[in-house]
Amino acid sequence: AAATAATATAAVTATITAATTTVTTRPRQLDHLTGCRFFLSLWIACNHFSVHEASHASLSLDAALRRSNVAVCAFVLLSGFVTHHAYATRPLLDRAAARTFYLRRIGRVALTTYVAMAAALVLGILLGEADYQLHAPHLLRCALLVENWQLPWRGDVFWCPAGNTWTIVALLPSWGLYPLTAAAVAAAGATLGTVGLVAYACALWTVEMAVPFGAFLSQTFWLSSKQHEVLYFWPVAQLTDFVIGVLASEVSRRVVVSRAAEAAEAAEAKAVDRDVRVGEARSGDARSGGVRPPLCRARSSYGAWAALADASVLCVMFACFCTPWPGYRVGWEPFFDHGLVLPLSVFLCASACDERALCVRLLSHPALVSLGSYSFDVFLFQFPLKQLFSGLLFSSWTGEVFLLYLLTLWTIAGVYAETVEARAVAWLRRVSA
């Protein structure tokens, strides 16, 4: 009986160890985050093409619609979270690994960015938009993806063709520094543990919010639109959100790995207990006290993580719908640039730890996942298509035109993603293999 138990225990341990290794080296597909991207991109598109008049902002839905800077903040957090989810267990500090990472992570983004810029530039020329967007120095800075780096000293945002490309400029430093960020997060996790990583994220957010909060107090509880632009468009201002997304991803990864280890321990204990009872029964020694409970039971964190994910979504919704409206990106509105980073990162972390949360079930619907998979292309193509609709196709912007615009936008983005972009990604994978 002892030999049988030992053999069974060894087999179970090997199986669970292999499963745990798979968890740490082969990340799960987080479909609900793709579904979330659909709502975020829709939120941004609706805000960009609605009329910003204070008389209409008293409605909570209208006020929430205008706070699409929260959606951009969520996209930056998502970028850090998903990047680390995919690359956490891969060493990126050697030259070959870093080259592969940069080609795959930035190559696809750069292609679509330049396609969107070229389309917007051609339409701008056809529509006679001969302002600063067509000036050679400005276009050169846009092509080099450095236009908004001088924002704090220049004071004005100079929009590149396809205005949303500013987010790519803002994220490039974060992607470029990710190998170092990942190494630092791994070292911090080894030293501080999971709780320490959470405290580190909270400390980063506190430092990030200290500057705007100090300005808010010194200016009689008011922030200007110029201050919002620096807090929002300047690439340095988005670095902290990306790092917090990486930290949230590392915390969720540690929870998943810890849960797999607990499952392995529980499965091993059950196997030992079962084999011991079988051996005792066969030897005729099965007495009333011989049937024992498993040596340990895996603790389930389902309830806590699921509730935390749902509660964080409700917190973000409450803040966006119920906060009074002082004006577009002035007053306390600039706090929405980064103020909801913590509940958003809690949602990312908790939803990755427990897929039974209500928000995860909703966002994992195949229809939302399918639409969300084109969110990046939708995000970049919305301005060129708006130029086409407003300048060449329709003389007025009505609700019917806007609905047709959204349907056309997702159709074009989907066709582009499944043809041009898919082939480019496949080529990048071949050359970086």
Side-chain angles (χ1 to χ4, degrees):
T4 304
T7 303
T9 300
V12 171
T13 303
T15 302
I16 300 300
T17 301
T20 305
T21 303
T22 301
V23 168
T24 58
T25 58
R26 188 177 302 169
R28 294 178 298 122
Q29 185 72 26
L30 302 177
D31 286 337
H32 69 283
L33 297 185
T34 305
C36 179
R37 285 162 51 193
F38 163 69
F39 284 109
L40 296 177
S41 55
L42 180 63
W43 187 358
I44 293 170
C46 289
N47 170 63
H48 280 157
F49 307 121
S50 62
V51 180
H52 302 296
E53 294 181 2
S55 59
H56 296 295
S58 59
L59 297 175
S60 59
L61 178 60
D62 194 59
L65 184 69
R66 300 162 196 271
R67 289 165 177 154
S68 65
N69 46 342
V70 177
V72 173
C73 173
F75 268 126
V76 175
L77 284 168
L78 261 172
S79 181
F81 188 93
V82 173
T83 300
H84 194 67
H85 182 74
Y87 290 95
T89 58
R90 306 181 191 183
L92 297 178
L93 293 181
D94 62 276
R95 183 175 299 180
R99 173 179 172 273
T100 299
F101 167 74
Y102 291 131
L103 277 175
R104 294 185 177 184
R105 189 68 189 90
I106 301 178
R108 165 180 174 261
V109 171
L111 171 66
T112 306
T113 298
Y114 286 121
V115 169
M117 280 187 176
L121 181 60
V122 170
L123 287 169
I125 294 174
L126 293 177
L127 296 173
E129 296 178 355
D131 56 4
Y132 68 87
Q133 286 203 11
L134 299 182
H135 292 171
H138 169 70
L139 291 178
L140 178 61
R141 291 192 296 269
C142 290
L144 296 176
L145 303 178
V146 297
E147 180 56 88
N148 283 334
W149 272 99
Q150 51 186 328
L151 178 60
W153 300 274
R154 184 175 57 199
D156 291 315
V157 177
F158 282 10
W159 295 104
C160 293
N164 277 356
T165 54
W166 75 264
T167 55
I168 308 305
V169 177
L171 280 170
L172 277 176
S174 298
W175 292 329
L177 293 172
Y178 171 72
L180 296 176
T181 302
V185 167
T191 304
L192 304 175
T194 302
V195 176
L197 291 175
V198 174
Y200 188 29
C202 294
L204 283 177
W205 178 79
T206 301
V207 172
E208 180 182 32
M209 296 302 296
V211 173
F213 188 71
F216 181 74
L217 293 179
S218 65
Q219 295 170 182
T220 319
F221 308 108
W222 192 262
L223 290 172
S224 68
S225 60
K226 297 294 184 183
Q227 290 169 321
H228 153 73
E229 290 172 356
V230 175
L231 292 170
Y232 191 54
F233 297 111
W234 193 33
V236 176
Q238 299 294 344
L239 281 169
T240 304
D241 289 358
F242 183 91
V243 174
I244 292 176
V246 172
L247 288 167
S249 182
E250 178 64 18
V251 170
S252 69
R253 191 185 71 85
R254 286 171 167 266
V255 170
V256 171
V257 172
S258 175
R259 186 178 296 168
E262 290 184 356
E265 184 181 357
E268 183 177 349
K270 287 181 180 180
V272 171
D273 184 73
R274 181 180 64 250
D275 292 326
V276 167
R277 283 183 284 141
V278 169
E280 289 177 346
R282 288 178 178 176
S283 64
D285 193 31
R287 299 182 299 273
S288 59
V291 179
R292 299 170 296 176
L295 297 180
C296 73
R297 298 180 184 274
R299 291 171 295 180
S300 173
S301 57
Y302 157 71
W305 287 112
L308 200 56
D310 292 332
S312 60
V313 172
L314 292 176
C315 176
V316 172
M317 293 178 63
F318 179 83
C320 292
F321 279 90
C322 299
T323 304
W325 173 259
Y328 189 68
R329 309 288 166 88
V330 295
W332 50 83
E333 286 299 302
F335 284 120
F336 282 98
D337 294 340
H338 308 285
L340 296 178
V341 161
L342 288 187
L344 287 170
S345 58
V346 167
F347 159 71
L348 294 176
C349 179
S351 63
C353 293
D354 196 336
E355 60 187 13
R356 301 181 201 180
L358 295 178
C359 58
V360 174
R361 296 179 186 180
L362 170 64
L363 296 173
S364 298
H365 191 282
L368 298 180
V369 174
S370 177
L371 292 170
S373 62
Y374 308 132
S375 62
F376 175 71
D377 312 282
V378 165
F379 184 74
L380 288 182
F381 290 157
Q382 57 182 273
F383 272 102
L385 186 62
K386 174 62 165 57
Q387 287 177 284
L388 179 64
F389 267 55
S390 296
L392 297 176
L393 300 180
F394 299 97
S395 58
S396 61
W397 193 253
T398 63
E400 293 81 0
V401 173
F402 179 59
L403 179 59
L404 178 61
Y405 164 82
L406 287 179
L407 294 174
T408 307
L409 177 61
W410 250 273
T411 301
I412 292 175
V415 171
Y416 170 84
E418 297 293 342
T419 54
V420 178
E421 192 175 77
R423 294 177 181 177
V425 169
W427 178 79
L428 287 172
R429 288 176 178 172
R430 286 197 303 270
V431 300
S432 62

